[in-house]
Amino acid sequence: MKSQTQLKLPGLLLLAGMSLHIPTALALFEPGVGVGLQYTDNAGLTPDNEDDDLIAIGYVGANIDQSSGPLNFSATTAMTYENYTDNTFSDQYYFDLNATAGWEMVRDRANLLVRNFFTQRLRNTVNRATPNNIENINIFNVSPDAVLPISRVQKLVINPEFSDFYYEDSDTDNQRYSLALDWLYDISATNQVGLGGAFSKTDFEDEDQNPNFMANNVHAIVSGQLARSKYKLNLGYTQIDRDDFENRSAPTGSLDWVLGVTGRSDARVYIASDLTDSSYSSLESAIDPGRGDINNVQVSGDVFRNNILRAVYTREGATLNSKFWAELRDLDYKETPQDQEVQNLAAKFDYQMRALVSSGLYARYKRTKRTEINRTDKHYIVGGQIAYQLSRKLSAAFNLQFQHKDSTDDAQEIDEFSGLINLVYG
């Protein structure tokens, strides 16, 4: 596996440069550092010949939030080091970054948004999550927009966009250029309708393996707010023209609905059916995780039909916070045998036992079916944690977790019990 510190980050310097022009007096900077020790009775996540290991973990990170008039910058970044003391795997370094810089060039008329996401994802979504199945990816996105008023209730929104996608191991590096134009009409103070269109071109660095393609979309928009909810409905038609493969076209659309159930709880439902590719789907998930789990989409240069239903319910109480979510996904790839159906269910509870003591429980279930190779995987995870606040900045936590995976591929079946103790400052 390539060194995980090799970064192709054209956007980081630009983001850092923009942040230098923001007065630090308005900045919120929160650093953190931590150490941990994890025990696992199956470090290689193998079906047999299981080996236990102790993993020494080091962590440094920071959260930055700065704003000054028309400029703003926010970033969360972390570097994690893992040392397998019994040498199950070589030392691992994991870098994460979620950074956004915004500039309101002309108030209510012109804006510039620059984003950079660096994270890790599974190369093969159905295989076990060991270091040799994890790769770094980087997504850099520049998205300016211009708002042109036509009348008091009408406007045009022009949005050119550029995205660069880098994959450490997969041969799917590419650049995406797009232009979108929307006409919006205010039918009330809080509700809009509109019509729009978008054009995009995707260029792969390895064109022999991944043919370039162009996508065109026309759509209608209905969005707004009601007494306790907000919504956005998009219905349209998409056509994808590819250099070496058959062109594709189909109706597409999405509905995003958020409901304030009570003063302490809310629910969100996201439904979509579109023609897309794994890179753009990763960008959408990075910007808004509510649009789907990045690891439910297989990395590929192919285009696919993405059908998704994701529902989330959260509640924040005085001492108990809870979250439930479900994701159903059906992915139909057009050329490669990677079609898959995914069902995700999860629940998480956080309980403040005492002023300085908190606890948590979580459970996750994932069923993935690769339809074209007749493979089905069922993955179960349950775990719990107790944390103690030693001081205002220093905390300690102890976590236990068990995971079990059934698979029609015997080599992917696993059982693992693990425990983690860590100490974090900041």
Side-chain angles (χ1 to χ4, degrees):
M1 188 173 182
K2 299 178 184 178
S3 169
Q4 300 207 26
T5 57
Q6 288 183 325
L7 311 182
K8 178 186 176 184
L9 302 178
L12 286 183
L13 296 178
L14 177 57
L15 286 171
M18 293 183 69
S19 69
L20 293 177
H21 297 283
I22 301 173
T24 57
L26 298 177
L28 174 64
F29 177 71
E30 299 178 355
V33 60
V35 293
L37 187 65
Q38 180 179 6
Y39 166 79
T40 170
D41 66 357
N42 188 3
L45 299 180
T46 56
D48 46 31
N49 299 320
E50 301 173 358
D51 293 320
D52 58 2
D53 206 337
L54 282 175
I55 307 170
I57 301 170
Y59 159 89
V60 292
N63 182 65
I64 307 168
D65 194 350
Q66 304 183 93
S67 62
S68 176
L71 296 173
N72 62 80
F73 175 78
S74 63
T76 301
T77 184
M79 174 69 81
T80 303
Y81 164 75
E82 296 182 354
N83 170 253
Y84 290 78
T85 59
D86 286 339
N87 300 314
T88 304
F89 296 101
S90 60
D91 292 356
Q92 302 296 314
Y93 298 87
Y94 298 109
F95 176 71
D96 284 277
L97 173 70
N98 184 331
T100 300
W103 177 25
E104 188 179 36
M105 295 177 285
V106 181
R107 186 177 178 84
D108 298 326
R109 295 290 183 269
N111 303 280
L112 175 64
L113 196 61
V114 183
R115 306 180 180 98
N116 203 99
F117 306 98
F118 190 95
T119 188
Q120 290 75 43
R121 63 166 298 161
L122 299 177
R123 288 210 311 272
N124 187 320
T125 61
V126 292
N127 286 353
R128 51 185 180 265
T130 56
N132 52 20
N133 190 35
I134 295 174
E135 71 173 328
N136 291 318
I137 70 168
N138 187 75
I139 304 172
F140 174 65
N141 173 261
V142 181
S143 179
D145 67 68
V147 180
L148 306 178
I150 300 174
S151 69
R152 186 176 60 86
V153 295
Q154 299 182 70
K155 61 185 176 183
L156 288 176
V157 180
I158 304 172
N159 178 213
E161 192 169 338
F162 168 76
S163 300
D164 180 85
F165 300 92
Y166 159 71
Y167 298 85
E168 182 185 32
D169 298 311
S170 305
D171 296 324
T172 51
D173 294 4
N174 66 89
Q175 293 78 44
R176 185 177 187 270
Y177 311 84
S178 66
L179 176 64
L181 175 65
D182 288 328
W183 167 80
L184 300 175
Y185 180 83
D186 296 331
I187 57 177
S188 71
T190 58
N191 295 275
Q192 285 183 329
V193 296
L195 297 172
F199 164 82
S200 67
K201 187 177 190 299
T202 299
D203 292 332
F204 288 93
E205 294 188 7
D206 187 350
E207 298 180 24
D208 294 333
Q209 183 170 337
N210 307 293
N212 300 334
F213 64 88
M214 294 185 296
N216 301 283
N217 171 265
V218 292
H219 54 261
I221 304 167
V222 181
S223 65
Q225 292 183 330
L226 302 175
R228 294 167 53 190
S229 65
K230 58 182 180 180
Y231 64 93
K232 184 172 184 180
L233 175 66
N234 185 313
L235 297 174
Y237 190 84
T238 300
Q239 177 172 325
I240 294 181
D241 299 326
R242 298 192 286 180
D243 286 357
D244 296 331
F245 293 133
E246 181 183 354
N247 298 335
R248 301 287 178 175
S249 60
T252 55
S254 64
L255 171 64
D256 196 348
W257 178 60
V258 179
L259 171 66
V261 181
T262 68
R264 291 179 175 269
S265 61
D266 59 71
R268 179 182 180 185
V269 176
Y270 177 71
I271 306 171
S273 180
D274 53 13
L275 287 175
T276 186
D277 66 297
S278 62
S279 293
Y280 188 68
S281 180
S282 296
L283 173 62
E284 284 196 315
S285 295
I287 295 173
D288 181 3
R291 295 197 171 194
D293 186 342
I294 190 175
N295 282 306
N296 285 343
V297 176
Q298 178 60 48
V299 177
S300 174
D302 196 5
V303 300
F304 58 88
R305 180 78 173 190
N306 174 46
N307 298 311
I308 180 173
L309 167 61
R310 184 177 173 91
V312 181
Y313 172 81
T314 58
R315 186 183 186 280
E316 295 185 0
T319 58
L320 178 65
N321 297 334
S322 55
K323 182 176 182 179
F324 305 88
W325 68 99
E327 180 174 326
L328 307 179
R329 208 154 191 169
D330 182 13
L331 305 172
D332 177 18
Y333 289 79
K334 298 308 178 183
E335 305 296 336
T336 55
Q338 297 173 321
D339 293 2
Q340 61 186 38
E341 300 170 357
V342 183
Q343 292 92 43
N344 264 148
L345 297 172
K348 185 174 185 291
F349 302 92
D350 294 309
Y351 179 62
Q352 192 69 38
M353 302 170 62
R354 296 181 180 179
L356 301 178
V357 182
S358 60
S359 62
L361 292 172
Y362 58 89
R364 296 194 293 271
Y365 167 75
K366 180 178 180 179
R367 179 184 183 274
T368 306
K369 182 178 181 180
R370 281 282 177 91
T371 56
E372 294 193 9
I373 60 174
N374 196 29
R375 173 177 165 180
T376 301
D377 295 78
K378 298 177 182 179
H379 194 186
Y380 308 83
I381 297 177
V382 293
Q385 175 180 278
I386 293 180
Y388 184 76
Q389 197 71 31
L390 299 170
S391 69
R392 190 174 68 88
K393 290 285 189 178
L394 185 64
S395 63
F398 177 65
N399 186 90
L400 292 176
Q401 177 179 286
F402 174 75
Q403 63 171 320
H404 171 76
K405 184 177 180 181
D406 289 322
S407 177
T408 52
D409 180 356
D410 294 341
Q412 295 299 323
E413 294 192 342
I414 60 170
D415 284 292
E416 186 215 20
F417 174 80
S418 63
L420 169 68
I421 184 169
N422 63 10
L423 192 66
V424 176
Y425 181 83

